[in-house]
Amino acid sequence: MTAQPTVTTKRLLSLDVCRGFIMASMIMVNNRGPAESYAPMKHVPWHGWAFADVIFPSFLWMVGVAMTLSFARRVERGDDRGKLLLHTLRRAALIFLIGLALNGFPYYNFTTIRIPGVLQRIAICYLIAAAIFLFTKLRGQVIALVAVCAVYWMLMTLSPVPGCAAGTLEKDCNFARYVDSLFLSGHMWSATKVWDPEGLVSTLPAIATTLFGILAGHLLRAAMAAEARAAWMFLGGNALLFAGAFLGQWMPINKNLWTVPFALFMAGISQLIFAACYWLLDVVGWRRGMQPFAIYGRNAITVYVLSGVIARHQGTIDKYMGDCVMA
């Protein structure tokens, strides 16, 4: 019997479970313990990638998927697009402020507080991608995706940087680092102080990552059998992987710079991970053992904030105990 074409209208368990898996992985990476822990749990220092580098772009990709499934239904029932954007602006502002508060915890030294961050990047990408989705159709969204990637590529390869050759992408010499030093001096990641992995210029291809998720969301809403959606998801994911690896010949895959090949490659991995979840949960109907991941996925921001607060609180306690021992 042939499966009948349907349009996805209900909340997808696979999206919640996939997001929950990513959040659980994030907790393991951020709280992995000593430096000699498994290499996949550590971010690659500069060019290249490891499992740890998949987590953030996968979450942003799923923000785009969820946005499409949610907003498309509201637009179709006649909700005002301006009001939807205003709602998005309020939510993005709240996420940004939570990220800022997490950066300052527990001392809140505002003269050196880090302004960029994971939640801040999520907020910016969410807001800009939502505006693009609400006021353009599929063609416009594809054009926006290509445009942000092209602008980033040109900025990084053609813009002059004092003391560096144009197009240099080394850690101490690149256009993104230069822009961060102009606008974020004293308010960057404490591990570097001179550049930020969630800096200004690299937010452009991060927006593209969210837009890739929006395109996948359109596929999930297409009137076709669930098996066909899963197949197209797998096909598209592999195509994005190939495109990212191919472009990596001219610009390296690099999370800290969030290069265009990184955005493409990680969108491919994200789509393949989600396609596996979608096929297993929404096509095959597997449910056993998935509830914990679903709970994590439905409360992703809360999980991220709590894990960050607990880790920083534990770090403060460890430092205090160490000072006591030294005394």
Side-chain angles (χ1 to χ4, degrees), residues 249-264:
Q249 298 177 82
W250 295 277
M251 180 178 283
I253 292 173
N254 184 307
K255 177 187 179 294
N256 293 302
L257 294 175
W258 210 288
T259 57
V260 172
F262 175 82
L264 283 160

Side-chain angles (χ1 to χ4, degrees), residues 42 55 62 97 114 123 148 181 211 216-217 219 224 226 232 234 265 274 285 288 293 305 319 327:
K42 295 186 287 186
I55 294 170
M62 283 183 277
L97 290 174
R114 182 190 178 198
V148 295
S181 71
L211 292 173
L219 176 57
M224 63 177 72
W232 280 109
F234 278 115
F265 196 81
F274 174 76
R288 186 179 303 171
F293 290 113
V305 171
K319 183 179 183 299

Side-chain angles (χ1 to χ4, degrees), residues 33 57 67 298 310:
M67 182 190 305
R298 292 177 190 132
I310 292 170

